[in-house]
Structure formats: structure tokens, C-alpha cells
Amino acid sequence: MATEPLKGSPHLVPAPLIGPGYDYATVTDKISSIVLTQKTPRSWIFGFAVAFFLLMVLMFAIGRLFLLGVGIWGIEIPVGWGWAIVNFVWWVGIAHAGTLISAILLLMHQEWRTSINRFAEAMTLFAVSCAGMFPLLHLGRPWMFYWLFPYPNTMKVWPQFRSPLVWDVFAVSTYATVSLMFWYVGLIPDLATIRDRSKRRVSQKIYGILAMGWRGSAAHWKRYETAYLLLAGLATPLVVSVHSVVSFDFAVGIVPGWHSTIFPPYFVAGAIYSGFAMVLTISIPVRKVYGLEDFITQRHLDNMAKILLATGLIVGYGYVMETFMAFYSGSPYDKFMIMARMTGPYMKFYWALIFCNMVVPQFLWSTRVRSNITGLWVISILVNIGMWLERYVIVVGSLARDYMPTMWYRYSGTAWDVATYVGSIGLFLTLLFLFLRYLPMISIFELRQLVPPEKRPTAPGATRATVEG
Amino acid sequence: MNSGTSLQTGLERVELRALVVGAVALLLCGIGAYSRPDEFYQSYLFAFVFWMGISIGCTEVLMLHHLVGGDWGLAIRRLLESASRTLWVMLVLFVPILVGLRHLYLWARPDEVLHSPELQQKSFYLNVPFFLVRMAVYFIVWLVYGQLLNKWSTEQDRTGAPAIMRRLQSLSGPGIVIFGLTVTFAAIDLVMSLEPHWSSTIYGMMFIVGEVLSALSFVIVIAMILAEHKPFAAVTSPKSFHDLGNLLLTFVILWAYIAVAQLIIIWSGNLQDEIPWYLRRTAGGWGNVVLILAVFHFAVPFLLLLSRDVKRKARALGAVAFGVLIMQFIDTFWLIEPALRQKQFHVSWMDFAGAIGVGGLWIAFFAWQLKKRPLIPLRDPRVEKFLLQEERA
């Protein structure tokens, strides 16, 4: 059959995933030196100081909340869910990119995920911590949080299983657990590398304990691969389930603007959208500061930008459907809700969100914009803002103007809302800075698999990269 | 070369038989239309939507492949292209629906609209002239896309210019967005508006996923048949079937996810505008269909497709895909007919005659298109690369 001369076409050679000239040793050196030998950059110290300050703001705000109660936030019936729930949904959404990158892209054999998965997973973990905090703080009596779990007790109180809020408890706690396991299991071989390379007794001990006796034998690797794939399989449905359950928090109720069947897929797409935006927001400065341009390459940023565009379009589709159906359905309440969004008291938020989430990402169609790093960074930040506004419009807009005009209320957050929100960013950044400083932020052993074959050692001792994952 | 010619004659035979069977079945339907027009249009709409779904779904999968690449699409590309050509047949077969608008849609009957304030409220969108304009726009968009995708692909066969690959990619990116919107609105117009008092924002997505699922299972079945012939076998490997199997699994899960999401939200809302949709689809025998769908549209294919062995064997995967295709057929029936046969589950002989009639013409056209060009886009650089890899292996 094949009478044509066969030749590799230049159009099929993708941009490299790793800069030229690297072999096994230099990859390991470059990444582990950030943890072990490099002097802590001044920008790290400055950034950590700011993040830590914000964390203290959070502590103060929470302290005050515990003393005085949720009344210090701007919530008032009918707007019982204000900034706290907006922040919850925003943070959970951000968490999703990490799991998508590490689990789904792994199962899809997308090699390019390798250099971003570690810190995307870390980001997931830290974002889930921030997210989980808000519903608990919102409880009113947060110290009774364990009432959310179904446990036999003398009060004969049992959670209402028909409520999606209870589903949330399970969804989010499962998600946090699996994400932690996945991240930690992925870290083990690299922790062993750091252990072996560190010169100081203390770090040898600490990393040694964390590495759980990893020796890198063939049996270790075999079990490791199996465990990692299984965890990826477990984590995959969680990418979808968590935010679907979060969307049920709203859609199961019959409030106009909440009760919409498209919510589950639209929330999931929105979550991945904001998650990738956050990965870009963080990875662009990090690769600059630590000189990791050879590992987090142009192609990585380009791929992430494409995913940003695709998920942004699905989110846009959600907006279009919501608006169209409000008019098509003929329901006066739905129509009123959309009109209130567009022209009511929160119209500024609405149009800002449309600009950030629907208009701005359209620039990503252009290759020029996708390869402009500053442009990409600005877009990613705008998307983060847009996704926060989207949740604000959904949560507050619908509650503030529901069926009964006598119940209408003009809500706005207080300084304590702002302090808690900004403080949660502080918590996130503090954890992130600690991670960047004390753990290998890029998976060393997985990155070695991207080293071109001619640079790989031939001795059998170090040929792990030739074993297919 | 020998098996090549036998494939050619095989396709010719399929083409002729499908054409004859289809024409006879449509003729029978024509007779049925005289005696029981309402029933005929109900059956015909179902047949049309099902086969239309495969044409559209194939075009979407084709664009997805152009956009993201991957070896999985190389073997099935010509199948998808030929299926996208059948949009021309569907355009012709759309005529009976235009004739029977009043039999099918409440909003197309002036006397109904006159007595229903709700329908009047919706008449800004649901009215006959606007419906016609919208359908014209959808068909123009779909046909133009189908035309370009096929034309450039043929050009690639002829010249082998590498730029064509990029051009197809740039066409497909926006194409998926445009199809997403047009297919959504077509689903609303053709099917959702059968129950004009009801609406659901996830509906369009549900249709898109269903159509892609029909398309995937259809091409997998065809690929299974063709994989036994020599030239086609060169571009299929256990790995390509494995990838297709994973894609099928993904869409089976997505289908179930969307179905359940809509159910949970509407069921717990329990509002009088929304819940009748499910009441109609579970009452009077329709509930059994739901059970069949839950088990055989989701549970069984889901469990089977988890197995690596099933996905890597063409025959096993083909059998699962065929099952999914049958389930898509039943699902389409369940989405459409309870709206029109509200009291009782009821199957008419014309449901089958219509589906066979439309399907016969569809398959005849498909086979005709398929044999016009080589079964493999040989000059696509990715095919070259794939063959090179296989040779090395």
C-alpha cells in the first residue's frame, strides 16, 4: 500500500518540553538546588512577609468572628450567603486545575503536564484548605462543625441527607484527602533525592522521614507506578463530582438564577477555567524568579492558555443558555432575575464579569497573545477576578431579589468580609511560599523522562526513564 | 489490491441494497401518512432526529480531531467525512417535517396559540417564519462546514501540502463553537419545543453529547467491519481501538452525568412547569424505557469499557459500540415520543419503517461517499508518521 516515501514531516515536531542541553544530572541539580543550596531569593523573603502579614489579618478577622459571630459580616436575611460562600466556591474552583493536570492529563498521556503538575497539585491542596474554611466559619458556631458528620450521638441528631450541603461535606473532605494522598505519593521519590543530596544532618533526617524509606529499587518503582495510576483513577471523578455538588448547593433550590439544569457542567467548566487561570498567575512569576524557563516552557503556557480558552467558551455557553432560557421559558421570575442582573443594583458586577470571562479570553484565539507572557498573565488575573464576580452575581444577586419584593435587600460585604477574603489569600500564599522553598516544586524524576534519549545514561542503574509509565 | 476491489464491490452492494430498502420503507411510510398523518409525523421526526444526530455528531468529532490531533482519528477520518456529507440527504429529508409542522408543534397551530397566553408569550421565538429562518441558517452553516472540511481533505490527498493540515485546524476551532450553538438551538427548535411549556438549560448540551455518542459508536462499528480488510487494517492497531474505546467511555459517562444532573435538579425543585417532563417519561410504560436506558445505556457499557481487553479487540469494542448505538436510538425515542404520545407507551410500525427509510437513504449516500475516495487520508503527515511508527514496531 505505502508506495509514498515515508518521512517525518517538520510540521509534526512539537515545540520542546524542556530546554536544550539538559541531562539527568543537570535536571536534578537545577530543581533540588532551589531547596538545598541556592540562597533564598530576596523576592521570596519579601513575598513571604506580605503573605504572612495577610495570614495574620485572617487570624485577626477569624478571632473577631469567633468573639462576635457572623453578624460582623454583611449578611442579613434574605442574603444569608454573602462573601463567605462566594469565596468558598471561588477557592474550590481554583483547586480543580491541580487535579485535572495531575490525574486526567496523566491518564491522557499528556507529557507536558510533568513540569507543572507538582505545584498545581500543591495549589489544589492549599486552595481546598482555604475553601473548606469558609463554610465552617459561616456556621455561626464553628466549634460544632463535627455535627455535619453523621455520627451516633445522644442528641439523636442526624444530618439531612437530602440537602446538598451535606453532600458538600463528603465531597470536599474526600477531595482534600485524595488530593493530599496524590500529592504526597507523587513527592516520595523526589523527597528521597533531596534526602540523598542534602548535606545537613537536620534536613537529612526530616526529608528521610518524609521519604518513607524510599530506595528506588525496581520493586519500589513498580508499586509506586501502580499506586500512582490508581490514585489518578480515583482523583479523576473527583474533578467533576466536587464542583457538581457545589453547583447543587444552588441548583437544587428553587431560587430564580440558581435553579438551572446547566449548573453542574457549567460550574465544573468554570472551576477548571479559574483553576488554570490561577496556575498561570502563579507559574509565570515563579518561572521567572527561579529561572525555570527551560522547564516551564512556552509550550506549557500555550497549552494552558488553550485550555483556558476552551473552558472559558463553555462558561460563556452557560451564560448564553441562562439568558436565553429566562426569556424562552416565559417565567416572569426568571426574566426578572436576568433583567435585574443586567440593569439592577449589581449590574456593574455583572458586566464586569461578562467582560472578564467572556470578552477577555477571546484574545487567546491569537497565537501572538498566547505567546506574550505579560499579556497572558494579565488575562489570567482578569479571569480570576471575573470568576469571583460570577459567583458574587449568582449568590448575592439571586438572594437579594427573589420572589417577594417586600423581602428585597441591598447587600454589600463589610470590612470584615474583605479582611477574611484577603486573609485567605494570605493563607494560600504563605503555604505556597513555604512549598516553593522547602519541597521540589517540579517533579524531578518525571521531568527526567522528558530528557531526550541521547542524553540519557546507558547504565542500567538509572534507566527508570525508559520504563513507560 | 485484490481485497481493495472486493471492498469496493462490497460498498457498492451496500449502497444499492440500502437504497432499495430505504426507498421501500419510505414508500410504506408514505402510505401510512395518508391513513394516519399524526402518527406518521411523530415517527418521522424521531427517525430524522436520530440519523441527523449521526451526521452532526460525525462532523463534530471530525473537527475535534482536526483541532486536537491524535492517532485515534486517523483511521476513522474518512468515515467521519463521508458521514458529514450526508447532511445533504438530511436537507432533502427535512421537507416532510416542514409539511407536517402543524401536526407536530402546538406553537405552529394558530388556533392553539390564540387560546394560550403562554404560547403567545413565547411566540416571539416560537413562530413559523422565524423557525424557518433559523433552520435555514443551521443548514447553511452545517453544509458549508461539511463542504469545506471535505474539500480541503480531498485537496490534501491530491497535493499533500502540509499547510492544509493547519488550515483544517483553524477552521475546526471556531467550528466547534459554531456547531455547539447551532446544534443547541436546533435541538430546542426541533425537539424541546414539542413541549413548549417546558425548558431546561442543559438540554442543548445533552443533545450534543448524545449525538457525539451516536457518531462515535457508529464509526467504531464501521471501523470494526473495515478493519478486516487489508488496506484499512494498516491504519488500525489495538492502540487506536483502545483510544476510541476510551473516547466512547468518556462520552457514555458524560451522557449519564448530564442525564442525572438534570434529573436531580428538576426532581428536587418539583416545580409544576418542569416536573411534567419526567412524569410523562415515566408514566404508562415509559418507566420501563428509563430502566433499560439506565442499565444498557450506562451501567453495562460503562463496566465493559473499563476493561482494557474489550477496548483493544476490534470485535469486542464494535459489539459494545453497536449496543450503545441501539441505546442512543431508544434514548432519542424516549426524548421525543412521550411528548407526543402522552398517555401510554406506544410503538407504531412507522417508527421502524421511518427509521429504516431515512437510515437506508443515509447509509446508501454514506457508502457512495466512502467509496469515492481512498479510505485513508494517505497524504496527511500524521498518517505518514503513524505508518512509520507501525513499520518500526
Side-chain angles (χ1 to χ4, degrees):
Chain A
M1 261 318 283
T3 47
E4 293 290 317
L6 291 173
K7 55 188 184 305
S9 161
H11 289 265
L12 295 169
V13 182
L17 285 168
I18 187 165
Y22 282 96
D23 60 22
Y24 277 14
T26 46
V27 163
T28 312
D29 273 344
K30 178 108 186 175
I31 301 170
S32 62
S33 71
I34 295 171
V35 177
L36 291 171
T37 50
Q38 256 181 40
K39 206 167 156 274
T40 311
R42 214 171 265 155
S43 53
W44 186 91
I45 296 171
F46 177 75
F48 183 75
V50 172
F52 194 73
F53 171 74
L54 292 178
L55 176 63
M56 292 304 111
V57 171
L58 176 72
M59 290 304 162
F60 186 63
I62 292 179
R64 208 177 136 85
L65 181 83
F66 276 33
L67 278 176
L68 299 176
V70 286
I72 64 166
W73 291 343
I75 48 176
E76 178 77 79
I77 298 301
V79 187
W81 283 1
W83 278 53
I85 302 302
V86 175
N87 298 340
F88 162 67
V89 181
W90 189 70
W91 278 120
V92 180
I94 285 171
H96 278 61
T99 325
L100 184 101
I101 290 171
S102 44
I104 295 188
L105 297 188
L106 175 81
L107 297 180
M108 285 164 65
H109 310 290
Q110 297 292 313
E111 280 184 332
W112 62 273
R113 71 180 261 291
T114 305
S115 52
I116 50 171
N117 70 332
R118 173 72 48 75
F119 79 75
E121 281 167 38
M123 195 192 83
T124 295
L125 218 50
F126 307 149
V128 170
S129 319
C130 294
M133 192 174 74
F134 282 101
L136 295 185
L137 294 178
H138 197 273
L139 286 175
R141 284 183 285 172
W143 49 93
M144 303 288 195
F145 74 94
Y146 57 91
W147 287 13
L148 291 165
F149 291 102
Y151 70 101
N153 57 55
T154 52
M155 302 175 292
K156 297 198 174 163
V157 179
W158 204 246
Q160 168 58 283
F161 277 101
R162 274 187 284 181
S163 162
L165 300 178
V166 174
W167 311 345
D168 247 355
V169 176
F170 292 98
V172 175
S173 53
T174 313
Y175 189 44
T177 318
V178 174
S179 303
L180 179 66
M181 292 266 289
F182 199 40
W183 179 66
Y184 183 64
V185 169
L187 263 170
I188 288 175
D190 282 357
L191 288 170
T193 306
I194 304 271
R195 170 198 65 195
D196 297 343
R197 293 173 78 96
S198 61
K199 303 272 186 299
R200 287 169 49 218
R201 192 85 191 115
V202 184
S203 46
Q204 277 172 353
K205 277 267 183 262
I206 293 175
Y207 288 113
I209 291 168
L210 289 175
M212 296 179 100
W214 179 267
R215 291 287 176 275
S217 73
H220 280 186
W221 278 116
K222 187 170 183 306
R223 286 188 194 127
Y224 172 84
E225 294 283 356
T226 316
Y228 200 65
L229 267 182
L230 279 176
L231 279 172
L234 272 179
T236 301
L238 289 174
V239 179
V240 178
S241 69
V242 178
H243 229 65
S244 298
V245 169
V246 171
S247 82
F248 286 145
D249 291 345
F250 302 99
V252 156
I254 53 168
V255 179
W258 286 11
H259 187 65
S260 181
T261 48
I262 203 164
F263 262 34
Y266 150 62
F267 265 52
V268 172
I272 295 166
Y273 185 46
S274 64
F276 269 89
M278 191 53 107
V279 177
L280 279 172
T281 310
I282 295 170
S283 62
I284 289 173
V286 164
R287 79 198 266 272
K288 179 98 189 125
V289 170
Y290 288 102
L292 296 174
E293 282 95 343
D294 285 337
F295 296 160
I296 303 171
T297 60
Q298 198 67 53
R299 192 168 144 216
H300 291 98
L301 302 181
D302 189 64
N303 282 354
M304 285 195 272
K306 282 177 183 164
I307 294 180
L308 204 61
L309 174 61
T311 47
L313 287 168
I314 300 177
V315 171
Y317 176 88
Y319 300 152
V320 171
M321 278 300 112
E322 265 190 319
T323 313
F324 171 75
M325 286 300 173
F327 289 97
Y328 175 89
S329 73
S331 152
Y333 304 108
D334 284 345
K335 208 189 290 182
F336 177 81
M337 176 274 298
I338 284 288
M339 291 313 288
R341 269 186 195 174
M342 291 177 176
T343 59
Y346 303 107
M347 63 178 281
K348 270 184 249 159
F349 294 94
Y350 180 77
W351 292 112
L353 99 84
I354 292 292
F355 173 76
C356 292
N357 286 354
M358 267 181 96
V359 180
V360 168
Q362 303 313 319
F363 287 106
L364 297 173
W365 286 99
S366 139
T367 322
R368 274 241 315 279
V369 174
R370 287 204 305 268
S371 55
N372 179 338
I373 293 173
T374 320
L376 210 52
W377 196 63
V378 171
I379 289 176
S380 77
I381 289 175
L382 284 175
V383 169
N384 277 316
I385 296 171
M387 286 309 289
W388 192 88
L389 291 171
E390 180 204 292
R391 276 66 173 256
Y392 189 87
V393 164
I394 292 174
V395 173
V396 174
S398 295
L399 288 176
R401 290 270 183 284
D402 72 352
Y403 294 101
M404 295 272 285
T406 50
M407 294 287 287
W408 288 358
Y409 178 70
R410 178 72 205 268
Y411 167 89
S412 57
T414 63
W416 295 105
D417 280 305
V418 182
T420 321
Y421 172 58
V422 174
S424 70
I425 296 176
L427 171 63
F428 177 80
L429 290 179
T430 306
L431 292 168
L432 194 76
F433 275 115
L434 289 175
F435 162 73
L436 292 178
R437 175 65 188 77
Y438 290 107
L439 290 169
M441 72 175 96
I442 293 176
S443 174
I444 300 172
F445 75 92
E446 283 181 302
L447 200 66
R448 283 173 175 178
Q449 295 179 28
L450 299 182
V451 169
E454 61 274 12
K455 295 268 185 187
R456 291 175 186 175
T458 43
T463 49
R464 136 121 187 111
T466 55
V467 182
E468 282 293 317
Chain B
M1 236 26 234
N2 206 2
S3 54
T5 45
S6 81
L7 198 62
Q8 193 78 6
T9 48
L11 281 173
E12 263 162 31
R13 212 179 309 137
V14 168
E15 186 188 329
L16 189 69
R17 281 184 192 168
L19 191 66
V20 172
V21 171
V24 171
L26 278 186
L27 212 64
L28 284 174
C29 281
I31 297 166
Y34 263 105
S35 53
R36 273 178 287 174
D38 276 354
E39 206 174 302
F40 163 75
Y41 287 116
Q42 293 172 5
S43 305
Y44 188 82
L45 178 69
F46 156 62
F48 179 83
V49 170
F50 175 73
W51 286 101
M52 183 76 188
I54 301 182
S55 313
I56 300 269
C58 283
T59 318
E60 283 170 330
V61 177
L62 178 63
M63 289 192 289
L64 186 71
H65 177 243
H66 283 313
L67 190 64
V68 301
D71 289 346
W72 58 272
L74 298 177
I76 58 170
R77 192 169 122 193
R78 274 290 133 81
L79 308 181
L80 296 169
E81 283 171 359
S82 305
S84 73
R85 302 285 288 164
T86 58
L87 281 164
W88 286 105
V89 187
M90 297 320 285
L91 178 65
V92 176
L93 289 172
F94 186 59
V95 174
I97 292 178
L98 286 180
V99 176
L101 274 188
R102 283 185 191 195
H103 291 273
L104 287 167
Y105 302 102
L106 282 180
W107 51 262
R109 294 177 209 155
D111 49 323
E112 287 278 350
V113 178
L114 208 60
H115 295 114
S116 159
E118 280 159 318
L119 285 180
Q120 282 164 22
Q121 226 174 28
K122 294 191 173 192
S123 61
F124 76 95
Y125 185 79
L126 293 178
N127 61 65
V128 177
F130 192 25
F131 174 85
L132 297 178
V133 171
R134 288 196 306 267
M135 289 314 292
V137 171
Y138 307 149
F139 267 107
I140 290 170
V141 168
W142 296 337
L143 287 169
V144 166
Y145 257 92
Q147 195 69 25
L148 287 177
L149 288 167
N150 278 286
K151 197 179 131 205
W152 290 348
S153 183
T154 314
E155 205 176 307
Q156 190 180 43
D157 267 10
R158 208 177 51 244
T159 62
I164 294 175
M165 202 172 95
R166 272 217 72 82
R167 217 195 299 162
L168 282 166
Q169 195 178 23
S170 328
L171 180 72
S172 298
I176 287 178
V177 179
I178 293 168
F179 265 64
L181 287 172
T182 48
V183 173
T184 295
F185 283 100
I188 293 169
D189 294 349
L190 280 173
V191 188
M192 195 165 101
S193 75
L194 289 171
E195 291 152 290
H197 304 300
W198 182 82
S199 64
S200 166
T201 42
I202 207 173
Y203 202 77
M205 213 179 254
M206 190 159 85
F207 251 80
I208 294 170
V209 169
E211 291 180 347
V212 170
L213 198 50
S214 300
L216 274 175
S217 37
F218 173 78
V219 291
I220 289 174
V221 170
I222 303 292
M224 168 193 75
I225 299 170
L226 292 177
E228 290 172 6
H229 294 270
K230 194 77 182 121
F232 194 72
V235 285
T236 56
S237 64
K239 174 133 193 327
S240 35
F241 278 105
H242 192 168
D243 289 347
L244 285 172
N246 278 332
L247 210 55
L248 189 67
L249 174 64
T250 308
F251 274 88
V252 164
I253 297 173
L254 206 53
W255 174 87
Y257 170 74
I258 289 176
V260 169
Q262 181 180 279
L263 174 69
I264 290 177
I265 291 167
I266 290 185
W267 198 264
S268 34
N270 203 16
L271 296 174
Q272 60 168 0
D273 312 341
E274 293 179 349
I275 201 74
W277 196 84
Y278 279 106
L279 297 181
R280 263 173 233 138
R281 280 164 180 76
T282 47
W286 286 109
N288 297 329
V289 183
V290 177
L291 269 183
I292 292 174
L293 287 175
V295 175
F296 295 102
H297 200 317
F298 174 66
V300 171
F302 171 74
L303 291 174
L304 287 173
L305 289 172
L306 286 179
S307 148
R308 195 180 151 86
D309 283 345
V310 169
K311 282 179 284 198
R312 292 181 82 88
K313 287 193 189 103
R315 287 232 161 165
L317 182 66
V320 176
F322 187 68
V324 173
L325 191 60
I326 300 281
M327 284 302 126
Q328 263 304 118
F329 185 74
I330 296 176
D331 186 42
T332 312
F333 189 73
W334 181 78
L335 284 175
I336 295 176
E337 297 306 337
L340 302 159
R341 301 168 191 172
Q342 295 193 357
K343 300 222 167 51
Q344 195 66 42
F345 172 75
H346 169 62
V347 178
S348 148
W349 64 270
M350 277 190 278
D351 293 336
F352 295 102
I356 293 170
V358 174
L361 298 194
W362 195 98
I363 286 176
F365 196 83
F366 173 75
W368 177 52
Q369 289 296 327
L370 199 57
K371 70 173 206 264
K372 283 210 306 200
R373 281 180 297 182
L375 271 177
I376 305 151
L378 268 180
R379 305 285 292 269
D380 187 310
R382 285 170 297 197
V383 174
E384 290 175 15
K385 194 177 151 219
F386 181 83
L387 291 174
L388 208 68
Q389 277 169 358
E390 288 292 297
E391 210 163 80
R392 272 201 211 119

